[in-house]
Amino acid sequence: GFHLSGTVTEPATATEPEMTYKVAISFDRCKITSVTCGCGNKDIFYCAHVVALSLYRIRKPDQVKLRLPISETLFQMNRDQLQKFVQYLITAHHTEVLPTAQKLADEILSSNSEINQVHGAPDPTAGASIDDENCWHLDEEQVREQVKLFLSQGGYYGSGKQLNSMFAKVREMLRMRDSNGARMLTLITEQFMADPRLSLWRQQGTGITEKCRQLWDELGALWVCVVLNPHCKLEEKSCWLRQLRKWGEMDVCPLEDGNYGNELPNITNALTQSSGHSQDSLARPRRTVFTRAIEGCDLHWQDSHLQRIISSDFYVSPSYQREGESLLFNSQGQPLWLEHVPTACARVDALRSHGYPREALRLTVAIINTLRLQQQRQLEIYKHQKKELLQRGATTITNLEGWVGHPLNPIGCLFLTLTEACRLEEENCLEISDAGDSKPPVYQHVPVVTGSQDGDESYLSLALEVALMGMGQQRVMPEGLYAQDKVCRNEEQIIARLQDLELDAVLVQTLRKQCILLLEGGPFSGLGEVIHRESVPMHTFAKYLFSALLPHDADLAYKLALRAMRLPVLETTAPSGDVTHPHHLVSVVPSRYPRWFTLGHLESQQCELASTMLTAAKGDMLRLRTVLEAIQKNIHSSSLIFKLAQDAFKIATPADSNSDTTLLNVALELGLQVMRMTLSTLNWRRREMVRWLVTCATEVGVRALVSILQSWYSLFTPTEATSIVAATVMSHNTILRLSLDYPQREELASCARTLALQCAMKDPQNCALSALTLCEKDHIAFETAYQIVIDAASTGMTYTQLFTIARYMEHRGYPLRAFKLASLAMTHLNLAYNQDTHPAINDVLWACALSHSLGKNELAAIIPLVVKSVHCATVLSDILRRCTMTAPGLAGIPGRRNSGKLMSTDKAPLRQLLDATISAYINTTHSRLTHISPRHYGEFIEFLSKARETFLLAQDGHIQFAQFIDNLKQIYKGKKKLMLLVRERFG
């Protein structure tokens, strides 16, 4: 039959009662063409009830009653039976069917109705006619809704994953040769093109978001797959082409390479690259994400050589043809396929995706044989040019179109095709491990089926070989952030797949052979001796090769990794280049560097490669030396060299065993290089770097510490040298850590003191105090340091620095020296009338207290300095009060006699201070009154009360104060309210 109906019962659960659903399924020529179910579930996949009914029919065909189409049954009934049948049917479903029955009855009874113009009547159980379209049921509305929903979530809530699973569904449909694949892809694309964000991004000139970009890429790649279906009808292809062109012409259609034009050859170009590329970006055609699919519509599968390649494993050239130069076969007679490589790989992807795995494998083998031949020819070309290229030290030969990061992912496609043929399907391969990640695939060698004699190759070794060829291809870095980012991403994806391969003897042999070819490949290999300045760096790839080769051939591993360390784009100048080949894309821009948006990432990969080599070379002085030289020659960023130094230090000093001196010395040498690099440039991590270096030198030993102390001026600033380096070296912890004997301790201390004095001479402002502290235990050095301070005090030092050193001197028991420095500090200071919260006030009070404690003479010496420097009335009155409270000279300097009497404010030196204080109060009062607001009146009256206290210390103070108040009343009589307050308080 063509129609299956049934009821499906869903058993009761803890929360839901038992439910019964009516399900109807139409099918035609082994495809389900439509479904309905009472559950009303909306999804692009069938609901569980439809699946249950289908499986029941498949598994228990004899349990399902087979009936004739309903039209046959009705044909056997007479007039009465038909009337009975219709009435019973209407009664059974009268609520649903009655309006329809009434309408149909009216139409049948009307002679000119549409229903009466057609012979017979439809029968849903009878199936379609032979000419009708037949395809699997797909709920188009549901597909549209879901894509729209996922796009509106903008990559959040796992919507990117959902869209990727819809793409995977399309691939699955193509593989099953289900014509709905293209239909579903069309629906998805329509929703993508209707995404409102596209016009927004275009208006703002911002790029599409990263997640969204990747989805568009997959969409473009899927269309290439669809149009390359080897068995599609011409009318289907032309219909797709119309659609693709329509989308591609819309101004919101995303471009293939992000926001930049790209000089990539057309998909149908031949393998060779023409040298006539225009540098003019305006001349470049606009390439959208659909351009490759549109170009793919021009490709066909009719070529007889291609047909023979994909239809037989044993297609070889007749032996008599193998002598001459042939474009169809190699010298072993194996077929070649000389098409633009990414295009040829797109064919492989199409064959694989449309369910032709054997054919895909055969074409892959032909492509690899072609690449091998090309590699051999390139080696021969290089042998002829080698001398000239090595002299020039640069090359202009490079591929414009890299295979890694290419929109069609050619290398990934060949690799997958080959590894899928070698995959061991385990019994429970569908089970997912506890971590939620599927286990890495397990591969086995499957011999290549071929008609030639060389029968010991496996598809797995070919997969490794082609991945290495593609990754090692020398190519120019593409333009634009997106294309550059894609190069890195694609490289990481391929390496992740390579790491799934267990390297056995066969694969190691393939690896070694290919690595040697890459090293000898000259300008055609990214690991060749000479490369283009803007060549894509090989660090990530080399790191994989190094780790894979190391256990089997260490010399080759190091040779390769050291060769890959370079990053020529950062070398200072661009070579003039060969102007006869305008296609090689050397930047014509005047700037030093081309626009490499991923440079930060590339430099960190270079650093990773170096770190991997350092770790492996631990304990091998010779290897470490070469790695160190490579780092010093090729890495230009101080923060990365610092990271390497830290890595080396960590590996050299494991917690559970002895340090490795070879690697420790490398860490130190790298650390010293960082110090020299960052000495004159600002670096926010500099303090951390200096501290780390001292730690590293301490681990290396006393000789290293002596060395950095002696050559401090090439590594540190004077401040760093005294406050961090020497201070740490002389600390108790360092002495304990090194368990030094007395002569060694003395040698270190002597070096530290010499350094301290040199630094104090060079930068007394910042180093004097540290120098004094470091020289405390050596009388001569201490005196020298003190003299340096005195010499610098008049010119090079601030009052803050001098006060700090003065206090230190007092603390050390040198009060007279402290007094001398405090006096020098006072000469640099100036406190205005309104600076009553100045940070130096505490220092001034301390200096006066120190002078007072030393005796009358010292106080007499400092008061004129105070009067000259301090104009703030409250500070002066505070000093005055303190000086009158106790007798001077209480410090008890030996050899001095003190009277023990309090000092009078009438006599020198306090008289001078009192006069200065009174005049400061008078000046401050006038200053404050020039712009006083009523809310400050109360505060001002308090200020005058304080002034009166000071006035009263003078013999005729009360008279002076009364005159002062009268004066104020006279001058400021306009401020009536204020003067009223003055009268109230002071009469």
Side-chain angles (χ1 to χ4, degrees):
F2 302 99
H3 189 274
L4 175 69
S5 54
T7 53
V8 176
T9 305
E10 201 168 301
T13 63
T15 50
E16 300 287 324
E18 180 178 282
M19 297 291 279
T20 303
Y21 300 103
K22 289 197 168 82
V23 183
I25 300 175
S26 305
F27 45 93
D28 178 12
R29 282 161 273 186
C30 301
K31 297 187 183 78
I32 292 176
T33 53
S34 75
V35 300
T36 53
C37 176
C39 74
N41 182 18
K42 287 278 176 203
D43 197 351
I44 59 169
F45 307 116
Y46 302 146
C47 67
H49 316 110
V50 168
V51 174
L53 184 63
S54 310
L55 288 175
Y56 187 80
R57 167 67 183 78
I58 292 165
R59 289 176 183 166
K60 303 186 176 175
D62 46 345
Q63 304 277 313
V64 179
K65 201 166 184 187
L66 196 60
R67 298 175 179 279
L68 285 170
I70 197 82
S71 49
E72 293 289 327
T73 313
L74 295 175
F75 186 70
Q76 294 166 15
M77 294 184 189
N78 61 25
R79 169 80 186 63
D80 289 348
Q81 286 171 314
L82 280 170
Q83 173 126 18
K84 198 173 207 170
F85 173 76
V86 173
Q87 282 180 246
Y88 266 99
L89 182 63
I90 293 171
T91 308
H93 299 285
H94 66 96
T95 48
E96 298 129 82
V97 180
L98 197 56
T100 315
Q102 197 66 61
K103 181 169 160 282
L104 287 173
D106 294 346
E107 284 187 18
I108 287 169
L109 293 174
S110 155
S111 57
N112 57 356
S113 69
E114 202 177 323
I115 228 172
N116 285 325
Q117 309 302 312
V118 185
H119 286 291
D123 177 1
T125 62
S129 95
I130 191 77
D131 311 321
D132 283 2
E133 267 295 306
N134 67 319
C135 60
W136 286 87
H137 169 66
L138 177 73
D139 187 339
E140 300 197 357
E141 194 42 50
Q142 205 41 45
V143 173
R144 286 192 196 97
E145 283 306 308
Q146 289 216 327
V147 178
K148 198 171 177 176
L149 172 70
F150 295 144
L151 282 173
S152 71
Q153 293 171 346
Y156 302 104
Y157 319 112
S159 57
K161 242 188 196 144
Q162 302 281 1
L163 286 164
N164 272 320
S165 76
M166 288 180 94
F167 288 146
K169 189 76 190 160
V170 171
R171 282 198 183 270
E172 190 188 324
M173 288 167 154
L174 297 179
R175 200 164 55 246
M176 305 303 292
R177 304 183 200 163
D178 172 355
S179 59
N180 273 335
R183 231 171 102 212
M184 182 156 161
L185 189 59
T186 305
L187 298 170
I188 294 174
T189 310
E190 281 167 353
Q191 291 308 311
F192 264 70
M193 289 302 293
D195 187 344
R197 292 176 300 170
L198 287 180
S199 52
L200 199 73
W201 283 324
R202 193 169 173 272
Q203 285 160 10
Q204 295 168 345
T206 50
I208 298 179
T209 59
E210 184 63 25
K211 281 178 179 160
C212 207
R213 223 9 296 191
Q214 292 172 23
L215 293 167
W216 275 102
D217 278 354
E218 177 62 3
L219 193 68
L222 270 172
W223 273 114
V224 173
C225 238
V226 167
V227 302
L228 282 180
N229 178 350
H231 293 295
C232 70
K233 301 189 187 89
L234 266 176
E235 54 269 29
E236 275 183 306
K237 207 183 233 189
S238 55
C239 167
W240 294 330
L241 184 59
R242 275 197 306 279
Q243 267 182 343
L244 290 163
R245 282 198 174 132
K246 186 186 84 190
W247 292 324
E249 282 159 11
M250 290 167 74
D251 55 4
V252 294
C253 186
L255 301 181
E256 179 174 73
D257 56 352
N259 311 328
Y260 293 80
N262 214 345
E263 280 193 40
L264 294 185
N266 177 302
I267 190 170
T268 49
N269 275 8
L271 187 74
T272 54
Q273 291 178 344
S274 68
S275 57
H277 282 293
S278 148
Q279 283 290 159
D280 184 6
S281 57
L282 299 174
R284 296 177 192 170
R286 175 172 175 268
R287 293 185 68 84
T288 72
V289 285
F290 301 118
T291 304
R292 287 184 188 272
I294 292 169
E295 291 167 357
C297 290
D298 296 338
L299 297 173
H300 61 80
W301 296 83
Q302 272 73 55
D303 183 280
S304 59
H305 181 57
L306 176 62
Q307 283 299 326
R308 288 195 189 105
I309 290 173
I310 62 177
S311 54
S312 162
D313 286 320
F314 303 105
Y315 173 43
V316 289
S317 70
S319 52
Y320 59 83
Q321 281 184 358
R322 295 184 191 175
E323 288 311 304
E325 178 79 358
S326 154
L327 288 175
L328 299 182
F329 302 92
N330 64 13
S331 55
Q332 286 88 49
Q334 295 164 318
L336 304 173
W337 180 241
L338 270 80
E339 188 173 31
H340 172 235
V341 176
T343 311
C345 297
R347 288 186 190 273
V348 172
D349 193 28
L351 287 168
R352 210 177 110 245
S353 303
H354 288 284
Y356 301 99
R358 295 295 322 155
E359 289 81 345
L361 261 181
R362 290 170 188 145
L363 182 54
T364 299
V365 173
I367 293 170
I368 290 175
N369 282 327
T370 313
L371 291 177
R372 283 170 168 170
L373 186 65
Q374 191 188 0
Q375 197 178 40
Q376 278 171 348
R377 287 188 184 163
Q378 287 174 341
L379 272 172
E380 281 156 28
I381 294 170
Y382 174 53
K383 275 177 192 149
H384 294 296
Q385 301 177 334
K386 187 169 183 172
K387 199 172 165 197
E388 178 206 345
L389 281 174
L390 287 175
Q391 275 173 342
R392 248 197 324 196
T395 175
T396 56
I397 307 167
T398 180
N399 291 291
L400 279 181
E401 186 177 44
W403 300 330
V404 172
H406 190 283
L408 296 172
N409 188 11
I411 299 300
C413 157
L414 297 183
F415 186 83
L416 271 177
T417 307
L418 291 160
T419 48
E420 273 174 5
C422 305
R423 208 166 165 160
L424 257 182
E425 293 300 346
E426 293 174 43
E427 291 305 302
N428 52 355
C429 67
L430 287 175
E431 280 183 33
I432 303 254
S433 65
D434 299 341
D437 301 321
S438 48
K439 291 180 190 151
V442 181
Y443 299 110
Q444 61 182 356
H445 285 286
V446 175
V448 176
V449 185
T450 166
S452 75
Q453 286 71 42
D454 183 21
D456 60 349
E457 287 195 320
S458 88
Y459 290 119
L460 201 56
S461 59
L462 285 190
L464 175 61
E465 184 178 346
V466 79
L468 300 178
M469 268 186 185
M471 301 269 285
Q473 174 208 32
Q474 186 183 181
R475 56 211 183 260
V476 155
M477 178 65 83
E479 286 181 43
L481 167 63
Y482 182 68
Q484 291 175 10
D485 189 53
K486 203 154 139 187
V487 169
C488 301
R489 254 207 331 273
N490 193 202
E491 194 172 40
E492 280 158 12
Q493 285 161 353
I494 295 171
I495 287 173
R497 294 231 167 92
L498 284 173
Q499 281 165 337
D500 286 339
L501 302 181
E502 290 263 338
L503 294 181
D504 58 11
V506 177
L507 293 183
V508 168
Q509 194 185 349
T510 305
L511 178 70
R512 287 193 58 208
K513 186 179 160 196
Q514 199 47 240
C515 286
I516 292 165
L517 284 171
L518 286 172
L519 282 171
E520 291 171 358
F524 300 98
S525 154
L527 292 162
E529 279 173 281
V530 275
I531 50 167
H532 190 288
R533 178 168 178 257
E534 291 178 38
S535 189
V536 170
M538 294 279 136
H539 309 125
T540 315
F541 179 43
K543 186 179 145 192
Y544 162 75
L545 293 177
F546 178 79
S547 304
L549 273 172
L550 196 63
H552 312 287
D553 188 339
D555 286 342
L556 184 58
Y558 277 100
K559 187 177 178 186
L560 210 140
L562 290 165
R563 168 83 55 89
M565 273 293 289
R566 61 200 168 183
L567 188 52
V569 78
L570 287 184
E571 303 308 333
T572 41
T573 51
S576 55
D578 180 354
V579 195
T580 56
H581 290 78
H583 70 287
H584 63 237
L585 270 186
V586 159
S587 289
V588 195
V589 285
S591 73
R592 199 172 123 196
Y593 303 138
R595 295 191 68 186
W596 279 30
F597 297 93
T598 50
L599 194 57
H601 171 74
L602 298 170
E603 283 190 281
S604 68
Q605 289 302 305
Q606 181 189 30
C607 177
E608 286 288 304
L609 173 61
S611 184
T612 308
M613 284 197 279
L614 282 176
T615 310
K618 178 178 174 178
D620 184 334
M621 205 53 238
L622 235 85
R623 292 243 197 258
L624 280 173
R625 231 346 87 200
T626 35
V627 177
L628 182 64
E629 280 162 18
I631 291 167
Q632 290 171 331
K633 183 179 168 207
N634 292 300
I635 298 186
H636 303 282
S637 150
S638 56
S639 55
L640 289 176
I641 296 178
F642 182 50
K643 184 188 178 303
L644 282 173
Q646 288 176 304
D647 287 354
F649 182 76
K650 263 192 206 121
I651 301 155
T653 52
D656 49 0
S657 63
N658 294 337
S659 298
D660 178 84
T661 42
T662 54
L663 200 49
L664 254 182
N665 281 309
V666 168
L668 180 64
E669 208 160 321
L670 289 170
L672 293 171
Q673 187 185 344
V674 173
M675 288 297 108
R676 288 189 284 267
M677 284 172 88
T678 55
L679 179 58
S680 52
T681 56
L682 285 172
N683 190 309
W684 61 276
R685 294 182 67 191
R686 176 79 190 172
R687 279 183 80 77
E688 177 198 349
M689 291 169 168
V690 174
R691 285 211 169 88
W692 178 87
L693 185 83
V694 179
T695 309
C696 181
T698 308
E699 259 329 292
V700 175
V702 71
R703 301 288 6 120
L705 288 175
V706 168
S707 167
I708 64 168
L709 291 175
Q710 285 174 344
S711 56
W712 70 267
Y713 44 85
S714 65
L715 304 168
F716 315 108
T717 64
T719 319
E720 290 167 346
T722 50
S723 64
I724 306 177
V725 183
T728 313
V729 171
M730 294 311 295
S731 70
H732 187 59
N733 283 353
T734 307
I735 308 289
L736 278 181
R737 176 87 188 81
L738 290 169
S739 51
L740 303 177
D741 57 23
Y742 182 74
Q744 288 175 316
R745 279 209 300 260
E746 271 312 293
E747 184 187 12
L748 263 189
S750 164
C751 288
R753 287 193 291 268
T754 309
L755 170 147
L757 294 174
Q758 288 170 343
C759 293
M761 287 288 286
K762 202 170 165 71
D763 182 4
Q765 284 197 324
N766 297 307
C767 301
L769 185 58
S770 303
L772 286 163
T773 314
L774 287 162
C775 296
E776 278 172 4
K777 293 194 174 123
D778 184 291
H779 178 68
I780 298 171
F782 188 76
E783 289 304 313
T784 313
Y786 174 65
Q787 202 46 55
I788 291 170
V789 175
I790 297 297
D791 294 345
S794 53
T795 51
M797 300 184 76
T798 66
Y799 60 81
T800 316
Q801 291 160 340
L802 288 168
F803 275 132
T804 310
I805 297 170
R807 290 191 161 197
Y808 162 81
M809 279 296 182
E810 188 201 26
H811 178 67
R812 293 274 306 136
Y814 294 107
L816 289 168
R817 287 183 174 185
F819 167 71
K820 184 170 184 179
L821 287 164
S823 306
L824 286 167
M826 288 300 296
T827 60
H828 292 276
L829 179 68
N830 184 19
L831 271 186
Y833 76 91
N834 56 355
Q835 289 182 298
D836 50 0
T837 56
H838 193 283
I841 291 172
N842 277 335
D843 288 322
V844 174
L845 294 174
W846 167 80
C848 292
L850 171 71
S851 312
H852 185 263
S853 74
L854 288 174
K856 202 169 176 179
N857 295 343
E858 282 75 15
L859 189 60
I862 206 154
I863 280 176
L865 300 176
V866 171
V867 168
K868 195 173 172 195
S869 303
V870 180
H871 308 287
C872 181
T874 49
V875 177
L876 289 168
S877 65
D878 199 2
I879 296 170
L880 189 60
R881 188 177 54 76
R882 289 168 188 234
C883 289
T884 53
M885 277 164 63
T886 54
L890 296 179
I893 298 289
R896 292 251 183 120
R897 285 177 61 243
N898 288 308
S899 64
K901 281 196 283 188
L902 292 179
M903 291 175 77
S904 161
T905 50
D906 291 339
K907 297 193 186 128
L910 292 189
R911 177 71 213 215
Q912 193 187 354
L913 182 59
L914 176 61
D915 291 346
T917 310
I918 289 172
S919 81
Y921 269 119
I922 293 169
N923 291 338
T924 306
T925 303
H926 288 299
S927 297
R928 287 179 77 164
L929 283 172
T930 50
H931 41 71
I932 190 167
S933 66
R935 63 200 172 105
H936 292 126
Y937 285 176
E939 197 187 311
F940 177 71
I941 296 296
E942 290 311 311
F943 174 73
L944 283 182
S945 301
K946 272 197 174 154
R948 181 166 61 179
E949 286 170 21
T950 303
F951 272 84
L952 293 179
L953 291 172
Q955 271 192 337
D956 53 352
H958 59 289
I959 301 167
Q960 270 185 306
F961 187 69
Q963 283 173 346
F964 173 49
I965 294 291
D966 286 343
N967 216 351
L968 290 183
K969 290 181 208 162
Q970 196 53 41
I971 300 172
Y972 302 102
K973 56 176 179 259
K975 299 186 189 296
K976 291 193 175 69
K977 192 174 176 198
L978 179 58
M979 290 307 131
L980 192 72
L981 294 171
V982 170
R983 269 191 209 94
E984 273 177 17
R985 176 71 69 94
F986 305 110

